[in-house]
Amino acid sequence: MNDYRRMNRLLHGGAVFCALDTETTGLKPSEDRIIEIGAVKFDKSGELARFSTLVNPRILIPHFCQELTGITNKMVFNQKEFREVAGDLLAFLGDSIIIAHNAQFDIRFVNAELERMNQGPLLNKAVDTLRFSRWAFPENEHWTLQFLARQLKIEVKAAHRAEDDARVCMELFLRCIKDTMDKQKPSVQN
């Protein structure tokens, strides 16, 4: 969903959103695996629910990823594999609109994991807050989640941990709407 001028109408029209974040063993969905999933479901009234789980990737987590996320091989060793948490994740997402920072990354990883299970891909509509923030704040030179959080004074409790990154993403989405109200298309009155 790229019509950012309609986000306020969508939010106040009763849509349910789910900010989603994954932490992974690398950057290639065909080779790497998810090690953590975090999601925050919300609507115009605020936060509705949270989903958070570590995932056993069945491959070793590279040192760089352990340093970045703080997630170690020991932490995921006794956790469920993606196939064991997929049903809960899909039920949590339901038909909500997925919100993610660099949404293509997270959705590709979830879809790669679903494909390994011989399941179809996510069909949810999605809003990429990376692109939305570039539209909302074109004067910026950086649009990483952590940079935007600092700039907009959004509290970060645990950077590069999926649940907190999902919460920060939700707050960024709401802030992008608030800060672009002058660009938002008004809803058509009948």
Side-chain angles (χ1 to χ4, degrees), residues 90-181:
L90 294 175
F92 186 82
L93 292 173
D95 61 356
S96 65
I97 299 168
I98 295 173
I99 306 293
H101 205 71
N102 193 9
Q104 190 174 6
F105 178 88
D106 298 291
I107 291 171
R108 279 185 179 166
F109 263 92
V110 172
N111 285 341
E113 296 282 10
L114 291 170
E115 187 177 320
R116 288 184 193 97
M117 299 170 48
N118 295 315
Q119 288 201 12
L122 292 173
L123 299 176
N124 304 59
K125 291 180 181 178
V127 176
D128 185 346
T129 56
L130 175 58
R131 290 182 179 180
F132 191 13
S133 64
R134 285 180 175 154
W135 179 80
F137 310 110
E139 67 284 355
N140 277 16
E141 293 182 13
H142 304 283
W143 294 273
T144 65
L145 188 61
Q146 301 311 317
F147 176 86
L148 290 163
R150 280 191 307 277
Q151 176 186 4
L152 302 172
K153 298 184 179 14
I154 297 170
E155 181 183 11
V156 175
K157 297 176 184 174
H160 302 293
R161 290 303 301 263
E163 183 180 352
D164 196 53
D165 281 356
R167 179 196 54 80
V168 171
C169 184
M170 171 192 71
E171 291 188 30
L172 172 60
F173 173 75
L174 295 172
R175 183 65 185 269
C176 284
I177 291 174
K178 179 181 176 223
D179 287 3
T180 61
M181 287 305 293

Side-chain angles (χ1 to χ4, degrees), residues 4-167:
Y4 305 120
R5 292 179 305 247
R6 296 176 191 249
M7 291 297 129
N8 185 52
R9 186 172 57 174
L10 195 59
L11 176 66
H12 291 285
V16 175
F17 300 90
C18 193
L20 174 68
D21 188 71
T22 58
E23 300 302 331
T24 64
T25 61
L27 301 175
K28 298 178 183 173
S30 60
E31 300 171 14
D32 294 305
R33 300 292 187 271
I34 292 174
I35 58 175
E36 186 176 41
I37 304 166
V40 180
K41 190 179 289 186
F42 66 99
D43 65 10
K44 65 182 176 186
S45 65
E47 187 177 314
L48 302 172
R50 289 189 182 206
F51 178 91
S52 180
T53 186
L54 289 169
V55 178
N56 185 334
R58 293 291 181 209
I59 63 174
L60 291 176
I61 302 170
H63 181 73
F64 168 77
C65 294
Q66 291 183 58
E67 289 289 315
L68 181 67
T69 65
I71 300 170
T72 64
N73 290 303
K74 184 177 182 179
M75 290 169 66
V76 299
F77 182 75
N78 287 320
Q79 299 297 320
K80 294 178 180 178
E81 295 178 43
F82 182 86
R83 63 182 172 77
E84 298 172 283
V85 300
D88 291 338
L89 173 63
L90 294 175
F92 186 82
L93 292 173
D95 61 356
S96 65
I97 299 168
I98 295 173
I99 306 293
H101 205 71
N102 193 9
Q104 190 174 6
F105 178 88
D106 298 291
I107 291 171
R108 279 185 179 166
F109 263 92
V110 172
N111 285 341
E113 296 282 10
L114 291 170
E115 187 177 320
R116 288 184 193 97
M117 299 170 48
N118 295 315
Q119 288 201 12
L122 292 173
L123 299 176
N124 304 59
K125 291 180 181 178
V127 176
D128 185 346
T129 56
L130 175 58
R131 290 182 179 180
F132 191 13
S133 64
R134 285 180 175 154
W135 179 80
F137 310 110
E139 67 284 355
N140 277 16
E141 293 182 13
H142 304 283
W143 294 273
T144 65
L145 188 61
Q146 301 311 317
F147 176 86
L148 290 163
R150 280 191 307 277
Q151 176 186 4
L152 302 172
K153 298 184 179 14
I154 297 170
E155 181 183 11
V156 175
K157 297 176 184 174
H160 302 293
R161 290 303 301 263
E163 183 180 352
D164 196 53
D165 281 356
R167 179 196 54 80

